[in-house]
Amino acid sequence: MRVFGVDPGLTRCGFGVVDGGPGRVVRAVAVDVLRTPVDAPLAVRLHELYVGVCEWLDKYEPNVVAIERVFAQHNVRTAMGVAQASGVVALAAAQRNLPVEFHTPSEVKAAVTGSGRADKAQVTLMVTKLLGLKVAPKPADAADALALAICHHWRAPMRSRIEEAQAKAAELARVHKARLAEAAKRAN
């Protein structure tokens, strides 16, 4: 499975592509940070981000896109920019019929470092080790994008099993309700 991880942002948007094999084997394919000029109008910045995302999606052809979920921040302006960037990425993926999954920062940190409270330096160190990179990806947005891709690769099988179990449970509940209703009819 090839995962395109995105650490969304308007000024710096981290991109990372990771291939995964059986078990927990992961390999870095590409990593970079797309920057947009802070003094450009918002629409121009979003368009530049959209064009960059489309180029990466078309070039690397991922199976899924993993985006960091926007969480409440003290700086509303930053949170808005992150949310807008996330929307642009999700739109570009949807146009290509690619599934989009969102992961919280603590999920990503826990998957990669073992602690949901790890700092950026710990995430970068573990990403570097897990992917066998000779040089740590910089800036932190690049490492975070790779961490998102790794997180998704490792969590996807578990999510699939949970969804299957939930579907089976719902079907069993439906059948059970139908049997109870039938038994109630017969009793009357």
Side-chain angles (χ1 to χ4, degrees), residues 60-144:
Y60 295 107
E61 300 180 337
N63 303 101
V64 62
V65 177
I67 304 172
E68 185 173 274
R69 183 178 298 282
V70 178
F71 62 100
Q73 292 179 337
H74 298 293
N75 186 338
V76 174
R77 188 175 210 173
T78 301
M80 287 296 295
V82 171
Q84 291 165 328
S86 295
V88 166
V89 175
L91 169 67
Q95 288 175 327
R96 288 158 180 77
N97 295 314
L98 290 171
V100 176
E101 297 290 337
F102 292 90
H103 299 280
T104 66
S106 59
E107 284 176 341
V108 175
K109 291 172 184 179
V112 173
T113 70
S115 169
R117 295 176 181 240
D119 63 24
K120 289 206 175 277
Q122 291 171 302
V123 171
T124 299
L125 176 66
M126 286 307 297
V127 163
T128 304
K129 286 185 177 198
L130 291 168
L131 295 172
L133 303 174
K134 292 180 180 167
V135 178
K138 293 190 181 186
D141 310 272
D144 289 349

Side-chain angles (χ1 to χ4, degrees), residues 33-48:
V33 172
L34 185 138
R35 299 170 195 275
T36 64
V38 202
D39 55 345
L42 175 62
V44 171
R45 295 176 79 189
L46 292 171
H47 183 259
E48 284 185 29

